[in-house]
Amino acid sequence: KSWIKNFVLNLNQKDIVLIGHSFGADMIKSIELDCISKYILMNSSIFKIKDSKFNIIFKVILNSIVGGLVYPNLFTHYLLANFYLILNLITRPINTNHHIKQALLNVSDNQVITIKNNKNIIIASKNDYLFPTSQIPETTLKDIQLVEGNHDWLMGDTNKYSQFILSLLDK
């Protein structure tokens, strides 16, 4: 997270918008700088996950396999992501294991709940397997932009979703 903060500071700009998805959203929401005007947090920690670390890993792996079958237009994205994960596990097992453990620590032990404020734009997908909308508190749900799709909805129509995200900045 410190490298992101340093990168933003080195831009020497004002009114920066940070955009993050899932673990990336959880990382950026803890970076507080005056030059950041908005945070777009997609599929970030909206509530405390009660799953064990094993269940979280299982869900991620299962959905990366099944997701490609359920969403054929995303199949190549899932295959590519799985290919790189397997390649990294084989060629850099220690580093890859370390990154996976860090991600799990953030999700399960040090999870910071996303809250609505004047800088946060929160987006959640209706079929997210990590943060199902059925578990989002009603008071929080009213402040969230809901989109169709699963946790990896962004990998679908990137042009459409880029336009959607840009439209949120105009509001």
Side-chain angles (χ1 to χ4, degrees):
K1 156 171 89 163
S2 64
W3 68 269
I4 299 171
K5 188 174 184 176
N6 289 336
F7 175 79
V8 170
L9 288 171
N10 285 330
L11 291 173
N12 201 23
Q13 298 289 314
K14 294 181 181 184
D15 294 326
I16 293 174
V17 177
L18 289 183
I19 302 173
H21 174 261
S22 192
F23 180 60
D26 287 348
M27 286 177 59
I28 67 166
K29 70 184 171 190
S30 62
I31 299 171
E32 296 181 29
L33 296 169
D34 291 336
C35 61
I36 299 173
S37 61
K38 291 277 183 207
Y39 300 85
I40 297 183
L41 308 167
M42 300 174 287
N43 297 86
S44 66
S45 302
I46 299 170
F47 56 84
K48 187 76 171 165
I49 294 179
K50 295 177 182 143
D51 285 340
S52 68
K53 291 178 186 182
F54 176 78
N55 283 347
I56 294 168
I57 292 172
F58 180 76
K59 283 182 178 182
V60 170
I61 292 171
L62 178 67
N63 279 280
S64 69
I65 294 167
V66 175
L69 301 174
V70 174
Y71 301 98
N73 60 328
L74 300 180
F75 192 64
T76 54
H77 296 289
Y78 282 105
L79 283 177
L80 192 59
N82 289 334
F83 170 76
Y84 282 115
L85 175 62
I86 292 166
L87 182 66
N88 282 327
L89 282 169
I90 292 169
T91 60
R92 303 176 343 173
I94 294 171
N95 284 351
T96 305
N97 260 343
H98 176 72
H99 290 296
I100 291 170
K101 284 180 184 176
Q102 284 301 114
L104 288 173
L105 275 175
N106 183 65
V107 170
S108 55
D109 294 340
N110 303 316
Q111 188 181 6
V112 176
I113 304 304
T114 301
I115 57 167
K116 176 70 175 155
N117 62 35
N118 62 342
K119 283 190 168 189
N120 287 347
I121 297 173
I122 305 168
I123 304 171
S125 53
K126 293 179 181 176
N127 298 315
D128 192 335
Y129 58 88
L130 286 178
F131 301 103
T133 54
S134 62
Q135 293 183 29
I136 299 172
E138 192 65 37
T139 54
T140 305
L141 198 55
K142 67 180 176 48
D143 295 323
I144 296 174
Q145 296 285 326
L146 289 174
V147 295
E148 294 296 328
N150 65 6
H151 190 74
D152 303 318
W153 61 276
L154 285 169
M155 293 194 301
D157 187 340
T158 53
N159 289 331
K160 173 184 170 184
Y161 293 126
S162 297
Q163 292 303 313
F164 167 69
I165 291 166
L166 288 172
S167 74
L168 295 175
L169 293 173
D170 294 334
K171 292 182 180 181

